[in-house]
Amino acid sequence: MHFLYPAFLFALLSLAIPILVHLFNFRRYQKVYFSNVQFLKEIQEQQSSRRNLKERLILLARLLALFFLVLAFARPYLSNHNNTSAGAQRIISIFLDNSYSMQTLNREGSLLDEAKRRAKEIVSAYSMNDRFQLLTQDFEGKHQRLLSREEFNDAVDAVKISPRSRSLQQIIDRQQNLLTMQPGASRSIDIISDFQKNITNGQPLKVDTGLHVTLVQLAANTPANVAVDSVWLLSAIHRPGETEKLVVKLHNYAGEDAVKIPLKLSINGEQKALGGFTLKARSVQNDTLTFSGLKPGWQRGEITLQDNPVTFDNQFYFSFNVKQQMQVLLIDGGSFNPYLKAVFGTDQFFNSRRVPDGNVDYAGLSTYPLIVISDVKAVSAGLSQQLKTYVSKGGTLAVFPAIDADLASYKSFLQQMGVAYPEKLAAENIKVQSLNLQNPVFKNIFEDFPSNPDLPVIKKYFQLSTSSGSNENLMQLQGGQAFWAGYNSGKGKVYVAAVPLNEDFSNLPRHALFVPIMFRIALLSGHDQPLFYSLGHDETVETTPVQSSEKQLLKLVKGKQSIIPDVKQQEGSTLLYVSDQLQETGLYELKKQDSIVSVMTFNDNRSESDLSYYSAAELNKIIPDKGNVITATKGSVKDIVSQADFGVQLWKLCIILALIFLAAEIVLTRYYNPVTRVLSQPETSTSIHT
């Protein structure tokens, strides 16, 4: 048995007071004269023994009442875990889950309201000298300090729903960071949550030695819920007035079918598509929405579901830019390639700019969705490194070797990106054998592909090496040799041809397939910013290079809300560190002074949409031996948490026993009378005869 306040045991010295009172409580007797004292003496002896028994019982009752009263103030308990600092100040870190799932209603109201009440109950189980940390999903700096009981209750009242969602291990690690700064105090962790299955991966939690963890699970309902997990556009480049196709990824998180759920698509506040869908239980489905009539500029999109009662994930935002023209950079060895000039001069949408390989502006490469290299004899190391960075960030690069190409420089240039490079010149008349019609480049090029197509004829070509990268051949020679191949490299794409754009090598530059293939490569290119970002996951946002200064700061603006992110310039892009500054989903304008640089959208991560919960048995498997799980019921969790943290509390039992013995003393004093007549004699007298 342990004592929370062992100093109170010195009060046991007060047990000497009833003993002293008993020893010095001598009663004075009144003298009564009898003519014959023979019988009186016998009666006095019997009364004295009974009176001594009564007084001893009263003394014992007083001693026991006082003893248990002192023990009650010392707070005895039977420890359930190692508690080496009993009686010292305690530091308790309490996590209050305020994620979206805590909006769910139960019999007690919303889960967040119940969680606040449970947090206050836990705090009331500790003494006034103990200190508390309140932690929420926001991980705010102000929640790193220790609070008194009153301050803690005020902070709990101010907690609101947050779009953040942390894992259980992240929460415990955050709590441990504060508790490790209090080495002299007794430390414990309490976590109040509904414990969705997304909160942990099911692996045992890692908890520091000496920390006791208590998980308080709130009883939650499991309502039906459907959400939009993601969206993407099929076209990488968006042209004014053209038809766009948006793929919507729908997810039914419930265990029952979702029938005729309304879905609406709005662009710039204008409704573009409307429909309904049916989704089987626990399934994912992709639907395609078609719309058109877009004007140049930033497009602000919103998808809305009508899915009750869970509404926090019924909106999904996205944005993209419709460009008036597409910029294409043509890098050559000193002279404009006439075939490329003809290709990109046939459509006003393409704005091509030609530059010699020795005069490339490296800082501006990221502004071009497509870069084409042709007729460059030797690729310099500087240009090679810059193009590698450009492709890794999402750019598209098309390579046509020069007729007198320095194969060593091309090998160094292309090999670092994991793509094939020209190894040697092969002089033979050969024909393209087949097209890879499954490649996205050929989509929508042919209305009806002929059985005996007219394919390019080759006089001589560079044999391409075998690459370990992801190869998607556009054209293939007889014998399986690649003629024109595409490779994924980083976030971008590289297309390598086996021939220069010269008719001495092949008739490709004048072939009917050349122009539509180059158009498709251009339209599939682009490294624009993502359609959306996720709060809590994308704390760093990368955008096109934007120069800023102390007088020209970049800021994210939504309505009256304005956020100034940390900005870092790097090669070919600008990084914005938003961290936890963004607390609301929606559309934000990235502004430099009053001009709009881009429009960015932020959505909640959909981990909160899956309203599946751990059972108490499952939580017990992941929590260490030094912790326990409490299922919150209608009653108070104060005693349960107190018992779990301190052990079995005995002070209430001591109070009850003290009252019982006080009552026994009263009964003995008032109603127990041992004075009875043992012998009854008639009065006698002695006659004196004279």
Side-chain angles (χ1 to χ4, degrees):
M1 184 170 66
H2 302 273
F3 296 93
L4 187 60
Y5 306 114
F8 273 102
L9 295 178
F10 286 105
L12 290 176
L13 295 175
S14 62
L15 293 176
I17 297 175
I19 297 175
L20 293 175
V21 170
H22 177 75
L23 291 178
F24 292 99
N25 186 22
F26 297 107
R27 297 184 62 180
R28 297 181 179 181
Y29 297 97
Q30 182 179 2
K31 293 182 179 180
V32 179
Y33 294 94
F34 286 82
S35 59
N36 191 337
V37 296
Q38 178 181 357
F39 299 105
L40 179 61
K41 181 178 181 182
E42 181 181 353
I43 293 173
Q44 284 179 338
E45 288 178 352
Q46 292 186 17
Q47 287 180 341
S48 176
S49 62
R50 291 175 178 269
R51 185 180 298 110
N52 288 339
L53 175 62
K54 174 182 177 180
E55 292 178 354
R56 289 171 183 172
L57 289 175
I58 293 173
L59 175 62
L60 179 62
R62 289 174 177 172
L63 290 174
L64 290 175
L66 187 57
F67 173 76
F68 285 112
L69 187 61
V70 171
L71 288 186
F73 280 100
R75 296 287 295 274
Y77 63 94
L78 300 176
S79 178
N80 287 338
H81 55 86
N82 295 330
N83 194 333
T84 57
S85 56
Q89 185 186 51
R90 301 182 64 85
I91 306 298
I92 303 93
S93 178
I94 300 177
F95 172 79
L96 196 156
D97 188 359
N98 61 331
S99 60
Y100 277 131
S101 66
M102 297 296 286
Q103 296 180 101
T104 305
L105 300 178
N106 62 8
R107 295 179 179 178
E108 303 293 326
S110 73
L111 289 182
L112 181 61
D113 292 336
E114 183 182 358
K116 292 180 179 181
R117 181 167 58 83
R118 299 299 185 184
K120 294 178 181 180
E121 290 175 0
I122 292 173
V123 169
S124 65
Y126 297 88
S127 71
M128 297 296 294
N129 295 326
D130 294 332
R131 290 295 176 262
F132 309 92
Q133 178 207 16
L134 173 64
L135 186 66
T136 66
Q137 295 280 7
D138 298 309
F139 279 16
E140 296 180 272
K142 66 180 181 181
H143 289 160
Q144 285 294 94
R145 65 189 186 94
L146 297 177
L147 307 173
S148 65
R149 182 186 296 179
E150 291 76 14
E151 292 172 333
F152 180 89
N153 290 336
D154 292 339
V156 165
D157 291 333
V159 173
K160 298 180 180 179
I161 290 293
S162 168
R164 306 286 174 177
S165 181
R166 318 281 182 173
S167 70
L168 190 55
Q169 188 62 59
Q170 287 178 318
I171 294 167
I172 291 178
D173 291 342
R174 183 82 169 190
Q175 291 176 294
Q176 290 178 158
N177 287 338
L178 174 71
L179 296 180
T180 52
M181 295 186 291
Q182 310 292 332
S186 178
R187 303 164 296 162
S188 60
I189 288 174
D190 295 293
I191 299 175
I192 309 172
S193 174
D194 53 2
F195 292 102
Q196 287 178 271
K197 289 192 174 180
N198 60 58
I199 202 170
T200 178
N201 57 7
Q203 298 297 320
L205 299 172
K206 298 178 181 179
V207 182
D208 292 345
T209 304
L211 282 179
H212 181 252
V213 179
T214 300
L215 306 183
V216 181
Q217 185 177 27
L218 307 180
N221 299 322
T222 308
N225 187 33
V226 179
V228 176
D229 276 359
S230 180
V231 299
W232 61 92
L233 289 163
L234 295 182
S235 299
I237 298 296
H238 315 291
R239 304 175 66 170
E242 287 200 345
T243 299
E244 298 282 352
K245 292 185 177 181
L246 178 73
V247 181
V248 181
K249 182 181 179 182
L250 302 167
H251 196 156
N252 184 1
Y253 291 96
E256 57 186 24
D257 294 350
V259 181
K260 296 182 179 179
I261 302 296
L263 177 69
K264 182 177 70 172
L265 168 64
S266 300
I267 303 292
N268 299 326
E270 180 182 352
Q271 181 176 307
K272 291 292 184 179
L274 181 65
F277 63 91
T278 298
L279 201 57
K280 293 183 178 180
R282 297 287 178 185
S283 64
V284 177
Q285 176 179 308
N286 293 338
D287 280 1
T288 302
L289 303 177
T290 303
F291 58 96
S292 60
L294 301 181
K295 297 180 180 179
W298 284 98
Q299 312 299 313
R300 298 160 173 83
E302 179 182 357
I303 296 177
T304 305
L305 293 174
Q306 292 184 13
D307 173 37
N308 294 320
V310 181
T311 59
F312 63 80
D313 53 6
N314 282 1
Q315 283 78 34
F316 196 94
Y317 304 94
F318 63 96
S319 64
F320 61 97
N321 192 15
V322 174
K323 298 179 180 178
Q324 186 69 46
Q325 283 189 321
M326 177 182 174
Q327 305 294 323
V328 179
L329 181 63
L330 306 178
I331 302 176
D332 54 48
S335 60
F336 207 152
N337 188 287
Y339 304 105
L340 291 176
K341 181 179 180 180
V343 167
F344 294 109
T346 58
D347 193 331
Q348 294 182 353
F349 176 70
F350 297 105
N351 181 18
S352 61
R353 178 174 179 266
R354 174 251 167 188
V355 62
D357 63 320
N359 195 29
V360 178
D361 179 15
Y362 295 154
L365 291 181
S366 60
T367 61
Y368 296 94
L370 174 64
I371 297 177
V372 182
I373 292 184
S374 66
D375 306 319
V376 176
K377 181 178 180 179
V379 182
S380 66
L383 178 59
S384 173
Q385 183 60 38
Q386 293 298 322
L387 290 176
K388 177 187 176 183
T389 302
Y390 163 80
V391 171
S392 67
K393 293 181 177 297
T396 300
L397 176 66
V399 179
F400 296 94
I403 58 176
D404 55 349
D406 180 358
L407 299 184
S409 71
Y410 273 85
K411 178 180 179 180
S412 176
F413 165 46
L414 296 173
Q415 193 176 36
Q416 65 178 341
M417 292 186 288
V419 305
Y421 52 87
E423 286 186 313
K424 62 180 180 179
L425 183 64
E428 59 175 324
N429 291 324
I430 195 171
K431 189 177 181 179
V432 172
Q433 183 181 26
S434 62
L435 306 180
N436 181 10
L437 298 179
Q438 302 301 318
N439 194 292
V441 170
F442 292 107
K443 189 174 182 180
N444 299 328
I445 288 183
F446 305 104
E447 292 183 0
D448 185 18
F449 190 74
S451 58
N452 188 21
D454 177 24
L455 298 178
V457 177
I458 295 93
K459 300 175 184 178
K460 52 184 176 180
Y461 65 95
F462 291 103
Q463 291 183 354
L464 298 180
S465 66
T466 302
S467 173
S468 59
S470 176
N471 182 5
E472 299 177 357
N473 285 334
L474 301 182
M475 298 183 180
Q476 198 168 1
L477 297 174
Q478 295 172 357
Q481 178 73 22
F483 176 69
W484 199 352
Y487 299 87
N488 294 319
S489 179
K491 297 180 180 179
K493 195 93 171 179
V494 180
Y495 294 92
V496 181
V499 294
L501 295 179
N502 186 293
E503 291 187 58
D504 293 337
F505 278 73
S506 71
N507 68 344
L508 177 65
R510 290 188 178 274
H511 197 276
L513 288 175
F514 182 61
V515 172
I517 288 177
M518 290 304 299
F519 276 11
R520 286 293 297 170
I521 289 176
L523 295 176
L524 290 172
S525 66
H527 54 290
D528 288 341
Q529 70 183 34
L531 291 179
F532 62 91
Y533 300 94
S534 296
L535 290 179
H537 286 180
D538 300 312
E539 297 184 350
T540 302
V541 176
E542 185 175 3
T543 185
T544 54
V546 183
Q547 298 299 324
S548 61
S549 62
E550 293 183 358
K551 296 182 178 180
Q552 294 181 327
L553 295 175
L554 293 177
K555 56 184 178 181
L556 287 168
V557 179
K558 179 190 175 186
K560 296 182 179 180
Q561 182 181 5
S562 182
I563 296 171
I564 300 178
D566 294 331
V567 179
K568 179 181 179 181
Q569 302 292 345
Q570 67 174 17
E571 191 175 11
S573 64
T574 299
L575 295 180
L576 307 177
Y577 294 90
V578 296
S579 187
D580 58 352
Q581 297 180 72
L582 293 179
Q583 297 294 334
E584 295 182 10
T585 61
L587 295 143
Y588 290 80
E589 295 177 343
L590 179 63
K591 288 187 173 182
K592 181 181 179 181
Q593 289 186 322
D594 294 330
S595 62
I596 298 177
V597 177
S598 66
V599 176
M600 299 179 175
T601 58
F602 293 86
N603 293 296
D604 302 312
N605 67 79
R606 290 305 191 240
S607 59
E608 289 292 310
S609 297
D610 189 357
L611 300 176
S612 300
Y613 307 96
Y614 279 110
S615 65
E618 290 172 329
L619 289 175
N620 277 312
K621 292 181 181 179
I622 65 174
I623 195 171
D625 295 337
K626 63 191 78 174
N628 64 301
V629 178
I630 297 174
T631 301
T633 58
K634 292 183 179 180
S636 173
V637 298
K638 173 181 177 180
D639 295 338
I640 302 175
V641 171
S642 179
Q643 180 174 334
D645 201 20
F646 296 105
V648 180
Q649 297 288 316
L650 302 178
W651 67 272
K652 289 185 179 180
L653 177 61
C654 293
I655 291 291
I656 293 173
L657 291 174
L659 293 175
I660 290 175
F661 286 112
L662 283 176
E665 179 195 0
I666 294 172
V667 171
L668 289 172
T669 304
R670 298 188 60 180
Y671 301 105
Y672 181 52
N673 186 7
V675 182
T676 58
R677 294 180 61 88
V678 179
L679 179 63
S680 179
Q681 291 279 350
E683 293 185 4
T684 58
S685 60
T686 303
S687 299
I688 301 175
H689 301 278
T690 56

